[in-house]
Structure formats: structure tokens, C-alpha cells
Amino acid sequence: MNQYDVIVIGAGNGGLAAAATLAEKGKSVILFEKHNIPGGCGSSFCRGRFEFEIALHQLSHMGTKENPGQLRKQFARYGIEDEIDWIQIKELYRVNFPDGTGISLPSDRKECEDFLCKEFPSEAESIRKYYDTVYKFCEESADFAAKSAGSTEEPGAIKKAIMKAGFPKKYPTLANYALKSTQEVLDEFFKNPKLKLALSAYWCFMGMPPTRFPFAILAKCTNFYLETKPFYLCGTSMMMNQAIMEAAQRMGGVVKLNCGVKRIVLENGKAVGVIDENGVEYRAKKIISNISPLATYGNLLEPKEVPQSAREYLKPYTVGISAITCFIGLDCTPEEIGFHTSFTLNYESLDANKDFADAYKLLPENDPLVATCYTVDDPSVSPKGTSIITAGTLKYGTEWEKLTPEQYYEMKYEAGRRIVARLEKMYPGITEHIEEMEVATPLTHMRYLGHPGGAIYGYEQDLMQSVFFFPSESKIPNLEFASGWVNACGFGPNYTYADTVASKVAKEV
């Protein structure tokens, strides 16, 4: 029988990092992935002479060589930091308003504050206070998290702890803002709707409108992108995940591509191994699932094996949003069409919450449009004299799942046409420069990721399903989870969270 210390299911960002960390710590580990490449969302595909990035917008937690962040240190441990050409993005992002104006935020706190105070002079004092609050919130949050590490309390108990009489005295900023939405906090500090839109841009990274997007996540995104800078990399995120996989193998880990897990083996209610798609059984002391809890419990166990406690635990959580994305290769440079910032968020109105309601509709209408062009920061990411633009809108998969095959293809290309028409308004002449284009829908994400509804952020990352309430607890002994379904979604958070989970598991085995 094949015996290992740990089995990892799924080679997404979290699964790869978990396997690499366990191998680094000298544990025998085997990683199963049903696809023929690692990475999940963190991969790429080619059309013509272009290689398109599937998901990465901005890599967080990196920091510079001189002042490394948590993720850079993690990659250094894996021996891959110097194997990859990292591209530091010049600006945080650009927000384009419906009246044709827009602002680009620098990736430095002082420069960002000074710039915003100049753009919105009547709100200057509030801008300074806001950033002080963001940083203080993150400082208190980190201290609270460190003191809560290893807690086995239910999320409800953690919420009660936040509400205790002594808590506000020790963590006043955290107590005041931990359970507030982005919209609530921005309304408290500011009046100008453009300024609110400019400061709330990271809501799209979690797929929640400002009224439902936790301020806690916005504060942390703002803090770590300003402090550890946003990064991209040459060769797309596929290069990063390939490097992590090879590092895991180099350190003694086993990786099986084209080989998914058929079921988890339980004995006396405890996870003891898996059976792969070929019918081969593997045993281990611990199992880490990088796929969703829904797929883990629902697809890899018999219904009678799923604990009732797991059903009850996950009942309040709802599957998150997906996306419609156009991958576009242009036969011109970004400057020729007026694209000067690598990441842009484009609005049809000054009410992001109202526009977000279109995410429940089949086709893009007034949805905020996210567009990236990393050729701006490094021309080498596409062939000389060309550009790669990724543009899309957040969409729930429900309406797409209702279509017949014939309707699907018609609607898929209609969605692409509408997104290109939006781009044409902002960047006149872009249409005539399109050389290659592919459109992905929620069903595309469902097909390649195996996620319910084609969810790209796991469960809904709103006030009651994230931050202090992530469903990270396993209800089966010896089974752990490490993915964006049980933690803040995103490349950096997934890598670092999986590292934490794997380090804990390594001590236990």
C-alpha cells in the first residue's frame, strides 16, 4: 500500500503551497491533480502568438528584495524567489468615472494620500484620518489574530469576543470597524462619490458590492498593497505555480497530474486515505483538500459518510460569484489606444451598488468593467509591438446554467461583443487592433475549476461569510482545508494560508 504522511487533493494555489511546505519540512507528501497542469485559476492558455493570464490581477504580500513580504520569504524558502522575473506594478489601479474622468493611485502611502488630498482638497483632513484608521485597524487586527491563533472556537464565539466589554478598550479601532461594510465606513469619512469609488476599488477582488464588502478586507488590501506593493510576473502566474510544483518535487514531494481523487477513505469516521481515479489506494496520517468543502464532502464521500455537523456548519454559506472575461490580443502597443495603467476599474455610474445588481443578469449591461494590461508595466509580457488586455465583469452563474447549448454560444459571443463595445468607448480604435480574442463565461470556470456556479472567489465574501467567519473548520478528523473557499480569496492569501495550514499539519504528523 502507498503510505505518506500527508495527501493533498488539488493543485490550485493552496494545494501547491501546502505540498511545497510539507516537503520543505521533510514530510512525505503526495499531491493529486486531475488536470494536466498545476495552478487551477493560476495558469494560462495560448491563442495565436499570445499567452493569456487566466486570473492574476495583482500579487500581494511580496514586498521588495530589500524589504521582503511574507510571500517573498515563503518563495525564498522554496528556492524559487530568484527563478522568476517579478514585475513591480507602478500604480495600485486606475478608476475611470462615467463622465470620462479618472484617477490613478500611486502604490506608496504618502504619495497616495498627497495625490488624493490634491484631487479632493475639501476632504483632505478626512483622507488623512481614513488612512490612519486603515493602518491602525490592520495593526490591531494582526495583534488580535496572533493572540487568537490556534483557537478552536466557533465563529459565533469569536464574534462574542469582539463584543465583550474589555475588547473595545484593548482594540478600539478593530472593535469599531470589524463588522462594518465598506460603504458604511466610507460614508462615515467622505461625501464625494468619486472619492468613495476610488478608495473602494478592491471590492471587485472579492466579488462583493461596497454595501456587502467587509471593510476589514478592504483595509487589509489597502494596507498590504501599499506596504508590500502589487506585483506581476513574466510568463503569467503559470510560471509561478510550475515553479512551486517543481520545488515540491525537488524537496521530495510526489505530484500526480492527470490523476484526480475519486473518494476519501474513512475508518471510524476519520480520514485515513484516498482512492485515485485509477482505483489505486493511498494512505496518510493527514489529508489536505484544496478543493471546495462542497466538492470534498459531496463528491469524495458517500452521503452516509458526511457528518450532519458538516451539513449544518456549511448551511449558512452561499456560493460566490463567477465572471465573464474577454482575453484580447492587440496588434498595437497600449499607448496607441490610450491604455496607461495596468489595472483599471471602469464605472457606468457613481453608484457601484446599483450597478452590481446587474451581476445577477445574463449579459453585461451597467456592470463595472475590470480591465488589465500588464504590457503597460513590462512590454515583454506580449510579443513586441503588441498588447494583452483582459477585460470582464463579475457574473453569477445561475442564468448561464439555464441556457441550451445553442443559446449558450450565442450569448457567450454577445457578452464578448458588449464588453468590447464598452472598451471602444473608453479606448477609441481598440476594436480594429484585435488580433485574437477568447471569451470565458461562468460555465467555462465551472468546467475547468469544478467549482459550483463557476465561483471564482469561493463562498460569498460578505460580512457574515468571511473575515471572522470563514468556514475553515473541518468536521472530519485528519481532514484539513486550504483554499479560497475557507480563507480570504486571492493568490497571495491562498499561498500564505496554505503555508500556515501545512506548517500546522507538519507538526501534527
Side-chain angles (χ1 to χ4, degrees):
M1 187 179 294
N2 300 291
Q3 183 72 46
Y4 291 86
D5 290 326
V6 185
I7 292 169
V8 180
I9 303 172
N13 299 334
L16 289 165
T21 294
L22 287 161
E24 176 211 356
K25 295 183 181 300
K27 306 302 177 182
S28 59
V29 56
I30 184 168
L31 170 63
F32 290 90
E33 171 54 51
K34 65 180 180 180
H35 200 6
N36 61 356
I37 56 173
C41 276
S43 55
S44 62
F45 67 93
C46 294
R47 291 291 183 275
R49 55 179 176 157
F50 298 96
E51 182 175 8
F52 293 104
E53 167 67 55
I54 291 177
L56 179 60
H57 286 141
Q58 296 179 344
L59 186 64
S60 62
H61 298 77
M62 277 298 290
T64 62
K65 191 81 172 177
E66 299 72 29
N67 186 26
Q70 183 181 357
L71 187 58
R72 188 182 288 271
K73 292 177 182 177
Q74 185 175 334
F75 287 164
R77 287 177 17 228
Y78 297 164
I80 66 170
E81 178 194 5
D82 297 326
E83 291 184 10
I84 299 167
D85 293 326
W86 305 103
I87 303 166
Q88 185 173 333
I89 299 173
K90 301 169 186 175
E91 297 171 316
L92 294 180
Y93 51 77
R94 179 176 178 81
V95 174
N96 289 323
F97 304 117
D99 63 2
T101 63
I103 57 173
S104 301
L105 272 60
S107 57
D108 174 84
R109 178 183 175 179
K110 185 179 185 306
E111 291 179 15
C112 193
E113 285 188 34
D114 291 346
F115 170 76
L116 289 172
C117 288
K118 183 179 178 181
E119 290 290 314
F120 304 95
S122 65
E123 308 238 36
E125 183 179 354
S126 295
I127 290 168
R128 304 289 186 192
K129 288 181 179 178
Y130 174 77
Y131 277 99
D132 286 342
T133 300
V134 165
Y135 272 68
K136 187 63 178 175
F137 179 91
C138 292
E139 179 185 324
E140 292 180 10
S141 180
D143 186 69
F144 175 65
K147 288 180 169 57
S148 304
S151 172
T152 58
E153 292 184 315
E154 294 283 347
I158 296 175
K159 181 178 179 180
K160 289 177 182 177
I162 294 173
M163 298 303 182
K164 282 182 179 178
F167 189 91
K169 187 175 181 180
K170 187 172 184 179
Y171 301 111
T173 310
L174 180 59
N176 191 20
Y177 295 105
L179 301 177
K180 288 186 177 180
S181 73
T182 286
Q183 194 67 55
E184 287 178 280
V185 178
L186 294 179
D187 287 346
E188 175 187 328
F189 279 87
F190 309 111
K191 295 179 181 179
N192 191 301
K194 286 187 176 181
L195 178 56
K196 294 177 188 180
L197 285 182
L199 290 172
S200 66
Y202 289 127
W203 67 263
C204 65
F205 278 19
M206 297 294 155
M208 282 284 101
T211 51
R212 296 179 61 196
F213 182 41
F215 171 72
I217 297 181
L218 174 66
K220 291 179 181 179
C221 284
T222 301
N223 177 269
F224 61 60
Y225 278 119
L226 284 172
E227 293 303 309
T228 65
K229 310 305 176 188
F231 277 81
Y232 191 64
L233 62 157
C234 287
T236 76
S237 58
M238 183 69 200
M239 292 290 292
M240 181 166 52
N241 282 327
Q242 183 74 26
I244 297 173
M245 182 184 74
E246 292 173 358
Q249 294 172 310
R250 185 171 61 249
M251 293 184 287
V254 177
V255 178
K256 293 181 73 67
L257 300 177
N258 288 309
C259 186
V261 168
K262 184 177 181 180
R263 65 183 294 255
I264 294 173
V265 179
L266 301 185
E267 289 182 358
N268 300 317
K270 297 180 179 180
V272 296
V274 303
I275 296 175
D276 72 12
E277 291 176 340
N278 300 313
V280 180
E281 184 171 347
Y282 298 80
R283 292 280 176 137
K285 301 169 187 174
K286 288 276 189 178
I287 296 172
I288 296 176
S289 176
N290 181 225
I291 64 176
S292 74
L294 290 172
T296 303
Y297 291 125
N299 299 341
L300 302 185
L301 294 170
E302 296 294 330
K304 64 182 179 181
E305 295 178 315
V306 180
Q308 184 60 29
S309 58
R311 301 179 193 275
E312 294 297 324
Y313 182 58
L314 296 176
K315 188 180 292 184
Y317 294 89
T318 54
V319 172
I321 204 165
S322 188
I324 297 174
T325 310
C326 292
F327 303 94
I328 304 169
L330 302 177
D331 64 2
C332 67
T333 65
E335 293 75 19
E336 289 180 66
I337 56 167
F339 219 114
H340 300 289
T341 303
S342 58
F343 172 69
T344 64
L345 182 55
N346 308 280
Y347 289 103
E348 286 292 290
S349 80
L350 294 179
D351 189 343
N353 300 297
K354 179 182 176 182
D355 291 347
F356 181 85
D358 283 2
Y360 294 92
K361 299 177 181 178
L362 181 70
L363 292 169
E365 293 183 21
N366 300 307
D367 314 64
L369 180 68
V370 177
T372 62
C373 180
Y374 292 107
T375 316
V376 168
D377 290 293
D378 184 358
S380 71
V381 301
S382 63
K384 187 175 180 180
T386 70
S387 312
I388 289 178
I389 288 180
T390 303
T393 62
L394 295 172
K395 283 288 180 189
Y396 287 95
T398 307
E399 295 301 313
W400 286 86
E401 293 182 61
K402 298 176 182 177
L403 300 176
T404 65
E406 294 77 16
Q407 292 171 328
Y408 172 73
Y409 284 105
E410 180 183 350
M411 292 299 101
K412 173 180 176 178
Y413 293 110
E414 173 61 18
R417 186 195 67 76
R418 292 189 182 196
I419 289 173
V420 170
R422 288 270 301 276
L423 290 172
E424 181 67 31
K425 288 182 181 179
M426 294 179 286
Y427 308 102
I430 187 174
T431 306
E432 64 186 47
H433 288 288
I434 295 177
E435 181 179 320
E436 296 284 348
M437 179 169 149
E438 186 61 83
V439 181
T441 72
L443 298 191
T444 312
H445 297 296
M446 189 185 302
R447 174 188 176 191
Y448 285 103
L449 298 177
H451 291 179
I456 56 176
Y457 299 124
Y459 288 113
E460 300 253 61
Q461 307 258 317
D462 63 13
L463 285 164
M464 299 310 298
Q465 300 182 75
S466 63
V467 191
F468 302 105
F469 310 104
F470 285 117
S472 57
E473 183 181 339
S474 171
K475 297 300 180 179
I476 294 179
N478 301 335
L479 173 66
E480 303 281 352
F481 291 97
S483 74
W485 287 84
V486 299
N487 186 60
C489 202
F491 280 70
N494 282 353
Y495 292 133
T496 57
Y497 179 71
D499 183 46
T500 300
V501 172
S503 296
K504 170 180 168 287
V505 167
K507 291 179 181 178
E508 295 172 347
V509 301

